Amino acid sequence: MPGEATRSIAPKFDNSYARDLEGLYVEWQPSAAPAPQLVAINEALGEKLGFDLGASSTEQMAAILSGKQLPDGARPLAQAYAGHQFGGLSPQLGDGRAVLLGEIIGLDGGRLDIQLKGSGRTPFSRSGDGKATLGPMLREYLMSEAMHALGVPTTRALAVTTTGEQVLRDRPLPGAVLARVAASHIRVGTFEFFALRRDEEKLRRLADYSIARHYPELAERDDKYLAFFDAVVEAQASLLAKWMLVGFVHGVMNTDNMTISGETIDYGPCAFLDHYDPNAVFSSIDRGGRYAYANQPVIAQWNLTRFAETLIPLIGDDAEEARRQLMNVIDSYPNRYLQHWLGGMRSKLGLLTDQDGDLELVNGLYDVMTDQNVDFTLVFRRMSGVLRGDSGPVRTLFSNPEKLASWMARYERRQFLEALPRSVRADGMDRVNPIYIPRNQKVEEVLAIAVENGDFVPFKNFMKALSKPFSERPELEVYTKLPPTGAPAHVTFCGT
Ligand code: AMP
Ligand code: MG
């Protein structure tokens, strides 16, 4: 039951959001799941957070991580936020199917949110039921943990619990709760909510809190709000570069799905590129291609501009001057993004020094990859073969390998500008170019088996591959299989 006391199998909670930001949330209890069962548990993360994951605590963990039982010291709440969705403003979104249980200080000293997603209606639910179903919650678990293993900043997944009840979507589906771990759940949309209401006092408290929590080194600066904006722009420029370097398509880059911590958040209709296609869209609701693969860095800048608008009243009394200063920071975003991306591309190609012409070299590869039906992940994974003296495996990925020849000659010439041996750099490439990614067909396959048959073994086996994406293991070859040519384009639906 909510509120029931607990032997401490959960770490101690310390709830700074509840304490410091009164008026920015509604205290709210998660609904009690009738028969919670842990179906996926992230043991490594749980231990780092200080949970007791012994066999004797399984039942209690299921109760806690589904919201049925409150851990000691938790002070659950639903956060208010607004957001621009597909370009249009929604003034009131908020946690409509999630509650923040509270915060814990992990064993490494960092403060982390524990949020339950799918734990029932809240005052922000509007017409929704506040529930989530098993497939989408497992999907977020898989995708976010894969991203983490790839080195991309992201919210984490601690557990998925089935609730024991059916949730009605286009058909009845098993209900589930995702226990999500995040640096915080503060979004661009959280700022928009209070800016829209012209509530400067709350806005300032939110900004001060965000600075203290995420960018404490800025707290004493006279220009701290501008510096805060600059830090968020930097975090997002770096994040977007990382998405692009692994071929990740978020699918719903609304401002309520953009964190100020710089972590990836809200895995809905997201996917990884199979073949390289700058226009790739996987979400059934993104009909205009607003959030297509190659559009993402530009959309991030658009979202950051919405964020900047919320900060104008905090920067100074002269709104025009504030706007000018914020615009200067926004104008620096494209080049910052480019530098992060180019730096990452150099690593992917085994180039350790910065040389003139590198951008053209990299762009040249993308030109060659266009319209070649070439697998994005494997092109880079196999590129280390070139440095080891065999370009055959990468060539076979191209439907028209002739087009690759002149680029390859240029790449070979570029090698002479590097001092470190080719073999050493090739090994380095294999540490940044994954071999295992959440391939769309495999994701759908393991989720379908889990949801339809209650069989979680394929899901767990896939997670084993994804949790070490750079280390090739012969027995895991099945996870590198490409979709058959002519397979229908992958589409994901925004599961709620
Ligand atoms: P999302 O698509 O998960 O980013 O959610 C967008 C907004 O819709 C957020 O305010 C959610 O809380 C809300 N929402 C999504 N699904 C539900 C649901 N089943 N019940 C109530 N609110 C929901
Ligand atoms: Mg969202």
Side-chain angles (χ1 to χ4, degrees):
M1 294 299 288
E4 198 174 293
T6 314
R7 174 178 65 84
S8 58
I9 64 160
K12 198 168 155 292
F13 276 73
D14 178 74
N15 309 306
S16 66
Y17 202 90
R19 206 166 45 232
D20 298 353
L21 295 181
E22 210 173 303
L24 282 77
Y25 59 82
V26 180
E27 296 216 33
W28 197 258
Q29 305 284 320
S31 313
Q37 258 196 318
L38 277 179
V39 294
I41 176 84
N42 188 339
E43 288 173 4
L45 178 61
E47 274 162 24
K48 246 179 57 183
L49 298 177
F51 282 92
D52 168 8
L53 298 176
S56 65
S57 53
T58 304
E59 203 175 310
Q60 208 179 355
M61 279 293 281
I64 290 175
L65 296 178
S66 64
K68 184 177 186 182
Q69 185 174 359
L70 283 189
D72 273 347
R75 209 176 136 186
L77 58 87
Q79 292 178 327
Y81 57 84
H84 278 84
Q85 302 184 303
F86 291 91
L89 177 65
S90 300
Q92 174 145 346
L93 294 166
D95 286 334
R97 57 155 168 177
V99 294
L100 178 67
L101 258 193
E103 298 142 35
I104 59 175
I105 313 293
L107 299 185
D108 64 359
R111 176 181 297 275
L112 293 164
D113 276 5
I114 310 285
Q115 195 210 52
L116 303 180
K117 184 168 174 178
S119 62
R121 285 183 55 79
T122 78
F124 300 106
S125 296
R126 293 168 292 165
S127 59
D129 60 6
K131 304 270 166 73
T133 63
L134 179 57
M137 294 306 100
L138 285 176
R139 191 166 216 292
E140 173 156 345
Y141 185 116
L142 186 147
M143 285 292 188
S144 64
E145 287 303 306
M147 290 282 269
H148 172 74
L150 288 166
V152 183
T154 176
T155 63
R156 304 283 310 271
L158 175 58
V160 175
T161 315
T162 48
T163 58
E165 65 183 3
Q166 298 286 103
V167 172
L168 190 63
R169 292 294 179 260
D170 51 343
R171 61 191 168 114
L173 288 165
V177 174
L178 171 74
R180 179 158 80 175
V181 178
S184 85
H185 284 81
I186 304 170
R187 308 148 190 266
V188 166
T190 321
F191 283 82
E192 290 180 283
F193 185 93
F194 299 101
L196 276 166
R197 287 158 182 77
R198 305 197 181 282
D199 192 335
E200 199 180 313
E201 186 268 328
K202 290 199 181 76
L203 200 59
R204 192 175 297 274
R205 270 199 287 143
L206 179 62
D208 287 339
Y209 176 88
S210 302
I211 292 169
R213 185 158 173 184
H214 296 297
Y215 306 99
E217 66 282 4
L218 308 179
E220 300 305 322
R221 282 174 58 154
D222 292 339
D223 63 346
K224 64 177 171 178
Y225 300 116
L226 188 65
F228 168 50
F229 181 62
D230 186 89
V232 176
V233 168
E234 178 62 20
Q236 287 293 337
S238 165
L239 180 66
L240 267 288
K242 290 192 164 114
W243 287 5
M244 299 303 282
L245 291 165
V246 297
F248 176 72
V249 183
H250 183 284
V252 215
M253 284 183 70
N254 297 334
T255 56
D256 52 303
N257 292 338
M258 181 183 252
T259 61
I260 63 108
S261 67
E263 286 183 344
T264 311
I265 195 170
D266 275 2
Y267 293 80
C270 60
F272 281 70
L273 292 181
D274 296 309
H275 65 280
Y276 170 66
D277 174 6
N279 301 316
V281 171
F282 299 99
S283 163
S284 61
I285 55 175
D286 189 3
R287 293 200 186 80
R290 178 179 170 88
Y291 299 143
Y293 172 67
N295 231 13
Q296 297 184 116
V298 180
I299 290 292
Q301 183 173 353
W302 190 91
N303 289 350
L304 289 165
T305 309
R306 303 289 80 74
F307 181 39
E309 286 161 0
T310 71
L311 297 176
I312 291 170
L314 303 185
I315 302 269
D317 295 334
D318 181 346
E320 268 320 300
E321 175 57 17
R323 202 174 304 242
R324 197 190 56 77
Q325 291 179 6
L326 289 159
M327 277 313 293
N328 275 342
V329 179
I330 293 170
D331 289 344
S332 72
Y333 167 88
N335 191 50
R336 292 197 209 189
Y337 164 76
L338 184 69
Q339 294 311 321
H340 284 294
W341 179 79
L342 184 57
M345 282 306 306
R346 284 197 182 96
S347 303
K348 286 174 86 69
L349 293 174
L351 306 173
L352 304 183
T353 61
D354 297 9
Q355 302 289 342
D356 286 348
D358 282 352
L359 181 60
E360 290 71 22
L361 179 75
V362 172
N363 284 336
L365 176 59
Y366 279 85
D367 286 345
V368 179
M369 289 198 295
T370 305
D371 298 328
Q372 286 262 2
N373 197 31
V374 59
D375 187 76
F376 182 82
T377 300
L378 291 186
V379 161
F380 293 104
R381 180 69 187 191
R382 293 186 184 176
M383 202 62 84
S384 58
V386 178
L387 268 66
R388 295 190 181 104
D390 184 5
S391 61
V394 71
R395 283 171 55 86
T396 60
L397 293 169
F398 287 75
S399 53
N400 183 356
E402 291 309 304
K403 284 200 175 155
L404 188 63
S406 75
W407 183 84
M408 212 40 108
R410 199 164 154 195
Y411 184 47
E412 286 288 357
R413 282 196 302 279
R414 175 63 179 76
Q415 303 306 325
F416 294 111
L417 301 177
E418 294 294 324
L420 267 187
R422 290 168 72 120
S423 65
V424 173
R425 288 185 288 116
D427 291 347
M429 292 166 80
D430 290 347
R431 288 191 293 269
V432 295
N433 293 315
I435 181 150
Y436 307 116
I437 56 146
R439 289 194 175 275
N440 299 316
Q441 280 196 321
K442 253 304 171 227
V443 174
E444 298 311 322
E445 181 188 309
V446 304
L447 295 189
I449 295 171
V451 174
E452 306 301 332
N453 308 347
D455 176 2
F456 295 87
V457 173
F459 174 84
K460 284 176 187 156
N461 288 339
F462 196 16
M463 286 308 311
K464 275 187 207 142
L466 295 173
S467 63
K468 290 199 183 106
F470 306 108
S471 82
E472 184 165 6
R473 288 154 282 171
E475 71 277 14
L476 302 181
E477 202 194 332
V478 55
Y479 299 114
T480 64
K481 289 264 180 301
L482 304 184
T485 39
H490 179 74
V491 180
T492 67
F493 298 89
C494 207
T496 58

